[in-house]
Amino acid sequence: MSGLKKVIPRYHTTYKIEEIEKAGRRERRVGMSSNTADEVFQYTGSETVPKDVTIVHFHCNVVNLTILTFRECTKLKEVVLNINNGLQTIGSLAFSNCTLLESITLPSTVTEIGAHAFRNCKRLRELVLNEGLVMIGTQAFYG
């Protein structure tokens, strides 16, 4: 079976700070605003990924990440690749325009990053490249 499987929702709480006036002086109060869930998907193949995905875990059987796989997943924040993952190539434009993606660690099995693979990932601040990398395509990190 290939494609995506929802594995677990990850809940987090949003807090809001309110300023209130009490007996003539201002006080700050922290209140719970809401509980929201980030859905975590297990990526197991080369099917089209929903554009609203926020967290993706790669299955160890994924060897090649094809062209455009996560392109324009503008809510994608986190990509989890196990260190002993079998991923070898990241195709052209694979993560392009993933504007919320902040960091990714590539396993040492990755040998190739395609052209424009991380193009316009404006929040990408940390990319850990390991010793197996042989080729980085044209403008892989442009924008």
Side-chain angles (χ1 to χ4, degrees):
M1 183 174 176
S2 66
L4 295 173
K5 291 182 190 174
K6 183 172 22 172
V7 274
I8 30 173
R10 184 186 306 175
Y11 289 93
H12 61 278
T13 304
T14 304
Y15 294 93
K16 62 181 178 180
I17 298 174
E18 299 177 50
E19 282 198 21
I20 58 171
E21 196 163 321
K22 190 174 184 181
R25 62 176 223 246
R26 287 183 121 29
E27 290 183 4
R28 286 189 170 187
R29 182 175 73 190
V30 177
M32 226 184 287
S33 177
S34 64
N35 284 331
T36 56
D38 285 332
E39 293 189 9
V40 179
F41 288 90
Q42 177 79 31
Y43 181 74
T44 60
S46 60
E47 295 179 8
T48 303
V49 177
K51 296 300 179 196
D52 62 347
V53 68
T54 58
I55 300 170
V56 174
H57 287 212
F58 276 66
H59 189 276
C60 61
N61 292 339
V62 177
V63 175
N64 298 309
L65 187 56
T66 60
I67 311 173
L68 306 170
T69 304
F70 294 97
R71 182 175 180 244
E72 295 183 8
C73 289
T74 56
K75 295 181 180 182
L76 182 62
K77 297 184 282 188
E78 183 178 338
V79 176
V80 179
L81 292 157
N82 296 328
I83 296 302
N84 34 346
N85 186 290
L87 185 64
Q88 294 176 3
T89 61
I90 296 176
S92 298
L93 299 162
F95 291 98
S96 67
N97 297 319
C98 292
T99 54
L100 294 181
L101 185 61
E102 293 181 351
S103 69
I104 185 169
T105 300
L106 300 178
S108 60
T109 56
V110 173
T111 59
E112 181 179 331
I113 297 175
H116 308 282
F118 294 93
R119 184 183 179 102
N120 291 325
C121 293
K122 300 205 182 285
R123 289 196 184 177
L124 186 61
R125 298 288 179 254
E126 181 179 0
L127 177 70
V128 178
L129 306 172
N130 286 302
E131 71 276 355
L133 192 60
V134 175
M135 201 276 296
I136 298 176
T138 306
Q139 297 184 335
F141 303 100
Y142 181 79

